[in-house]
Amino acid sequence: MAFNLFFSSLTIFFILASSIPSPSSADVPPANPISTGTACKDTLYPAFCRSVLPTNNNSANVYDYGRISVHKSLSSAHKFISLIDNYLHHSSFLTPSAIAALQDCRFLASLNLDFLLSSFQTVNTNSSVLPSIEADDVQTMLSAILTNVQTCLDGLRDTASAWSVKNGLSMPLANDTKLYSVSLALFTKGWVPKKNKTSKPPGKTPIGFRNGRLPLKMSRQHQAIYESVSRRKVLQTSNDGVVPVSDIVVVSQDGSFNFTTITDAVNAAPRSSNGSNGYFLIYVTAGVYQEYVSIGKNQTYLMMIGDGINQTVITGNHSFDDGWTTFNSSTFSVVGKGFVAAGITFRNTAGAIKHQAVAVRNGADLSTFYQCSFEAYQDTLYAHSLRQFYRECDIYGTIDFIFGNAAAVFQNCNMYPRLPLIGQFNVITAQGRTDPNQNTGTSIQNCTIKASDELASSNTTFDTFLGRPWKQYSRTVYMQSFLDDLINPLGWHEWIGDFALNTSYYAEFNNTGPGWNTSERVTWPGYHILNATGAANFTGSVFLLADDWLPQTGVPYSGGL
């Protein structure tokens, strides 16, 4: 049976591969011809780049080379999925942890295929610099592709029993990383505007929650359902700035409404919505929900509202020590585009002793969390990939408790370092940027960093650091935030030795509090003290192009400094 499935998957691959369109030039004036060497010199892997691009075309330009590299990336992604499927179809010799790592790789590879297909459609029909929002969309997807490959590789490396799988996949993963990096570099060079990418003047605070309430536009029936189970009074108005809702379901543990579990409500959501008719709203009444919730890639523009922090609680206890991959240890995971959550506590109760144990894994583009709480110890919030915004949230943890490689902005949030194990120290962020052309990083603006109650009442002193470089081009910025006296004067901590100290980017701007003083900070080449011009690059309007998508969520934000 496994043998037949393997050849079936190969057949499907060849059918799909044959359907991939060939690169073609758009009907626009051509860019200046350049040599392969010139096109490749600004990539991370110039020798590899020259080996995959044609060298005998004297009329090719950066757009031609970019189309070719994305086309090759698409073909390679198909092959990699078939390779993983082959291992999974012959998995009788693998341990459960190795199979789990492979399943993560399969899931991530399928996302990559989607991103590459979408990216190819754009580059195949454009041969000029794109408008900021279109360029940011593709650069975000190509950045996420590299993140997904790295996540797959990390999962395999963390699985000691998967040595044979690692040997078989290490070379394809290495080549794919180089190929995807070349595609990202060429796209950045040819299609991404060189000027500041904000499309609207920053600094405004658009429509948002009014008096702590969502400005939802509901039918009378929907509003009656909502208000009958909620203490809030939902604003019913036809004025501009109201967030439309296409449908609403209610989760209540007593069985008095639509569903008793959140998972059942999520499964009832429409597939592949573009959000034009409004959000599918899941209202989760107060209660402790012991379940693992996963919102898939086709469950888009879903909004989930609870009764508030510590009222509506979603909790689990999966951890790396108990056999889960870090990627799949989350209590709550979401990859569906346009997700919005408000008024919910997400919790992983595995404890510090279980090491990596994620409360939320977020890989949803244009996702927003408002007035939510994230509670765990090591690796609490996995801001995995794509564009994310967090406002007025509480985040608790110990080691690397905000980590990942999203383009993530945190505004008006509270970060609470907790009590770690003896011999450990606290690190708030571990950002995972692996390529200088990725438009990713962690921006922390107008937030408060204070010890949690359990740490503050402890008789033991533990160092707390703002971040450390998980990957080669790690990027994190703290701006206009309150840093309490628990912050070590060095501010930042190395990962191991001098790894990434030259290539990472860590910066601070106009912070306050006992821990703000930068006079004793690390002296790494990658550490910076910003002025207002530099800090503006990490604001919502610039870093996330927030003015183009955040207003529709109803969540308040500051576009500038």
Side-chain angles (χ1 to χ4, degrees):
M1 180 63 176
F3 185 81
N4 291 334
L5 284 171
F6 169 58
F7 280 97
S8 294
S9 66
L10 284 180
T11 302
I12 292 170
F13 161 68
F14 285 119
I15 291 173
L16 288 171
S18 65
S19 68
I20 298 172
S22 298
S24 63
S25 297
D27 295 328
V28 296
N32 294 327
I34 57 175
S35 67
T36 305
T38 300
C40 292
K41 69 180 179 65
D42 293 328
T43 69
L44 275 185
Y45 309 100
F48 178 86
C49 176
R50 291 191 298 270
S51 73
V52 298
L53 295 182
T55 58
N56 57 353
N57 189 343
N58 295 327
S59 63
N61 56 46
V62 66
Y63 301 104
D64 297 319
Y65 292 130
R67 278 186 283 272
I68 291 168
S69 66
V70 175
H71 183 261
K72 286 180 176 288
S73 295
L74 189 51
S75 178
S76 186
H78 277 295
K79 293 177 183 177
F80 187 68
I81 286 179
S82 295
L83 182 59
I84 296 174
D85 285 344
N86 184 30
Y87 277 105
L88 289 172
H89 293 156
H90 298 81
S91 61
S92 58
F93 67 95
L94 296 175
T95 63
S97 59
I99 293 172
L102 278 171
Q103 289 172 336
D104 287 349
C105 289
R106 181 61 170 81
F107 172 77
L108 294 162
S110 71
L111 294 177
N112 281 355
L113 198 57
D114 293 341
F115 295 152
L116 283 165
L117 283 167
S118 181
S119 299
F120 187 77
Q121 290 172 359
T122 299
V123 301
N124 201 43
T125 55
N126 293 277
S127 292
S128 61
V129 173
L130 293 170
S132 293
I133 188 64
E134 293 180 38
D136 200 54
D137 285 345
V138 177
Q139 190 178 12
T140 295
M141 288 187 287
L142 294 177
S143 296
I145 288 165
L146 281 168
T147 302
N148 290 343
V149 171
Q150 186 62 53
T151 303
C152 169
L153 187 59
D154 287 345
L156 293 171
R157 286 174 175 168
D158 290 341
T159 307
S161 59
W163 65 269
S164 60
V165 176
K166 283 183 283 190
N167 288 342
L169 294 181
S170 60
M171 185 58 69
L173 282 169
N175 287 335
D176 284 354
T177 296
K178 293 176 182 178
L179 183 56
Y180 299 155
S181 176
V182 167
S183 295
L184 175 59
L186 293 174
F187 179 82
T188 303
K189 185 173 183 178
W191 283 270
V192 175
K194 299 299 185 289
K195 61 182 179 180
N196 189 315
K197 68 178 183 178
T198 183
S199 59
K200 299 178 183 178
K204 300 182 297 179
T205 300
I207 60 112
F209 279 47
R210 299 191 175 105
N211 299 321
R213 296 187 289 269
L214 265 173
L216 299 172
K217 184 178 182 181
M218 300 179 179
S219 68
R220 289 186 177 181
Q221 178 185 12
H222 288 160
Q223 186 177 6
I225 294 172
Y226 188 94
E227 291 187 354
S228 68
V229 293
S230 173
R231 294 176 182 174
R232 297 191 187 99
K233 293 296 182 182
V234 179
L235 182 64
Q236 176 78 22
T237 176
S238 59
N239 295 333
D240 290 341
V242 176
V243 180
V245 172
S246 62
D247 201 358
I248 179 172
V249 295
V250 180
V251 181
S252 179
Q253 290 178 321
D254 64 9
S256 57
F257 288 92
N258 305 94
F259 302 101
T260 58
T261 70
I262 300 169
T263 297
D264 286 343
V266 169
N267 291 338
R271 298 299 189 266
S272 301
S273 167
N274 61 12
S276 59
N277 294 324
Y279 290 93
F280 180 84
L281 172 59
I282 299 175
Y283 174 58
V284 186
T285 62
V288 178
Y289 295 82
Q290 296 182 336
E291 55 180 303
Y292 298 91
V293 180
S294 179
I295 298 174
K297 65 179 182 180
N298 294 324
Q299 294 165 306
T300 50
Y301 292 95
L302 189 154
M303 179 179 284
M304 187 176 293
I305 301 176
D307 271 331
I309 290 175
N310 292 330
Q311 298 301 309
T312 298
V313 179
I314 306 174
T315 183
N317 64 358
H318 288 169
S319 69
F320 181 81
D321 279 13
D322 285 336
W324 299 89
T325 61
T326 300
F327 182 79
N328 217 18
S329 68
S330 54
T331 300
F332 187 96
S333 63
V334 55
V335 293
K337 182 179 180 180
F339 177 75
V340 179
I344 300 173
T345 291
F346 304 94
R347 185 176 292 161
N348 189 315
T349 61
I353 195 68
K354 294 291 186 177
H355 299 100
Q356 298 97 323
V358 177
V360 169
R361 188 192 79 233
N362 184 7
D365 197 22
L366 309 180
S367 55
T368 309
F369 286 79
Y370 178 66
Q371 293 184 347
C372 290
S373 183
F374 307 85
E375 301 175 7
Y377 286 84
Q378 183 172 345
D379 292 359
T380 301
L381 174 56
Y382 197 170
H384 182 263
S385 54
L386 304 168
R387 293 165 289 192
Q388 308 178 9
F389 181 72
Y390 300 82
R391 175 84 176 196
E392 297 174 34
C393 292
D394 298 336
I395 306 144
Y396 296 80
T398 54
I399 300 174
D400 307 334
F401 64 92
I402 301 172
F403 75 115
N405 194 26
V409 172
F410 296 80
Q411 283 186 358
N412 299 51
C413 293
N414 300 306
M415 285 82 171
Y416 293 114
R418 302 180 78 172
L419 187 66
L421 299 175
I422 297 298
Q424 292 181 337
F425 52 86
N426 286 327
V427 186
I428 298 169
T429 66
Q431 209 281 327
R433 188 165 169 254
T434 61
D435 192 293
N437 289 305
Q438 288 178 310
N439 60 350
T440 55
T442 300
S443 174
I444 296 173
Q445 181 185 14
N446 198 35
C447 293
T448 298
I449 291 85
K450 298 180 69 173
S452 65
D453 290 342
E454 63 177 310
L455 180 61
S457 61
S458 170
N459 294 324
T460 307
T461 300
F462 293 91
D463 285 325
T464 296
F465 297 90
L466 299 174
R468 58 176 181 164
W470 182 29
K471 302 297 181 184
Q472 189 74 51
Y473 295 93
S474 178
R475 181 162 65 174
T476 302
V477 178
Y478 284 78
M479 308 188 299
Q480 302 170 311
S481 293
F482 177 87
L483 312 181
D484 212 348
D485 58 4
L486 77 165
I487 302 299
N488 185 287
L490 290 172
W492 309 83
H493 199 282
E494 68 277 0
W495 187 265
I496 182 170
D498 61 357
F499 171 74
L501 302 189
N502 294 329
T503 52
S504 58
Y505 185 94
Y506 289 123
E508 298 180 54
F509 170 74
N510 276 14
N511 295 313
T512 61
W516 79 270
N517 193 325
T518 59
S519 62
E520 297 183 53
R521 290 292 196 255
V522 295
T523 57
W524 307 339
Y527 174 71
H528 309 273
I529 299 174
L530 297 179
N531 58 23
T533 302
N537 291 321
F538 299 95
T539 58
S541 290
V542 179
F543 196 53
L544 293 183
L545 294 182
D547 300 329
D548 288 290
W549 61 275
L550 260 178
Q552 73 185 45
T553 69
V555 174
Y557 73 98
S558 299
L561 295 171

